[in-house]
Amino acid sequence: MPPLNSVSFYKNDGNSSILPYLTENDRQILDIGCGSGSNGRLINSIYPSSRITGVTCSQAEYEEASKVLDCCIHTDLERNDLSFAHKFDALLLCHVLEHLVDPVSVINKLLPFLKPNGKVIILLPNIASWRSRWRLARGIFEYTKSGIMDETHLHFYTYYTVCRHFLDPLPQLDKLSLSVNGSIPLGFLRHHLLNQSTRNFLDNLGCSMFPNLFGGEIILYCSVNDQQDL
């Protein structure tokens, strides 16, 4: 995980991949690696009664997210513990676990703050997607400032390995679904000959049939089971 007071700053329109897994009943949401509060802003635009608590190790993100979220905490979860006066309906781990030294330990630290049957939504990049394979086939393996080869990524996951990495060592979690978001390489056809609905159909079909090839983003959706209290 980047050091406390890191200069990293993630700001976008929020990740819409999380929305299908949330409802208006998710009143208390904990967003780990909240960036500048973009996910919280997106959630509140759909569910205005939701209260979002964010955690970030970046001072710049903390200052921005504090203006948007109901609560924001500036800390390094791998070094420090958290304490809350209430429990959460949902835990968001949106493209943050790949940055941590020991992501399983961090999840273990957070699960006690979830309500019984609370939701855990994990989003991860897929290193085995076709874009990564194509670059490697051309002999390109270079770290970048962002994306799948972000220089701060400490772990790499695929559609077929993510459950082994997180569900096997975390018996408190029950898998509800495992899916991907992504696209197929349509080249010239994508923007010049095919309409949006056709592109979406082909992308969804490709991700459904070959998730580890066409899925750029892995979505692991879980709930906390009774072993949480053991």
Side-chain angles (χ1 to χ4, degrees):
M1 192 172 187
L4 196 64
N5 295 324
S6 165
V7 296
S8 65
F9 189 87
Y10 291 94
K11 185 174 184 177
N12 49 43
D13 295 328
N15 194 322
S16 60
S17 299
I18 62 179
L19 295 179
Y21 306 96
L22 297 172
T23 72
E24 61 183 8
N25 294 322
D26 297 315
R27 298 301 181 88
Q28 296 285 352
I29 299 174
L30 179 58
D31 185 8
I32 302 301
C34 64
S36 61
S38 301
N39 283 338
R41 187 186 295 108
L42 175 62
I43 295 169
N44 281 146
S45 71
I46 307 297
Y47 304 115
S49 62
S50 294
R51 296 182 60 83
I52 317 296
T53 297
V55 177
T56 177
C57 64
S58 165
Q59 177 67 31
E61 290 178 349
Y62 167 75
E63 293 175 0
E64 186 71 16
S66 295
K67 304 173 186 176
V68 178
L69 305 181
D70 297 282
C71 174
C72 188
I73 300 170
H74 180 219
T75 189
D76 184 340
L77 273 179
E78 300 213 82
R79 295 186 175 93
N80 306 310
D81 293 327
L82 291 174
S83 179
F84 297 102
H86 57 81
K87 292 201 172 186
F88 295 89
D89 299 291
L91 169 63
L92 303 183
L93 296 158
C94 184
H95 291 276
V96 64
L97 296 178
E98 63 270 23
H99 298 271
L100 304 180
V101 174
D102 191 348
V104 170
S105 292
V106 170
I107 296 176
N108 260 322
K109 187 183 295 188
L110 296 169
L111 290 182
F113 300 118
L114 284 177
K115 297 177 181 178
N117 299 314
K119 300 175 179 179
V120 178
I121 305 168
I122 297 173
L123 273 61
L124 298 160
N126 177 23
I127 189 63
S129 68
W130 68 268
R131 296 180 187 276
S132 298
R133 298 188 197 197
W134 174 236
R135 288 176 60 86
L136 190 58
R138 292 181 290 148
I140 301 173
F141 189 92
E142 297 178 359
Y143 287 95
T144 57
K145 294 295 184 180
S146 61
I148 184 64
M149 294 302 298
D150 189 312
E151 60 190 5
T152 64
H153 286 183
L154 302 181
H155 304 276
F156 294 99
Y157 303 99
T158 75
Y159 175 83
Y160 293 118
T161 64
V162 65
C163 289
R164 185 176 75 242
H165 282 288
F166 296 111
L167 296 186
D168 288 356
L170 293 166
Q172 311 96 308
L173 296 182
D174 288 329
K175 183 181 75 171
L176 299 179
S177 68
L178 176 64
S179 59
V180 297
N181 284 329
S183 64
I184 65 175
L186 294 171
F188 177 83
L189 297 176
R190 179 169 294 277
H191 298 293
H192 296 281
L193 295 179
L194 300 177
N195 59 38
Q196 184 67 50
S197 61
T198 302
R199 296 197 299 268
N200 290 343
F201 171 79
L202 292 174
D203 288 338
N204 291 336
L205 180 63
C207 286
S208 175
M209 295 180 64
F210 304 101
N212 204 46
L213 176 60
F214 297 124
E217 178 181 61
I218 306 165
I219 307 168
L220 178 60
Y221 176 44
C222 305
S223 66
V224 178
N225 59 41
D226 293 339
Q227 295 185 58
Q228 168 79 359
D229 298 324
L230 296 181

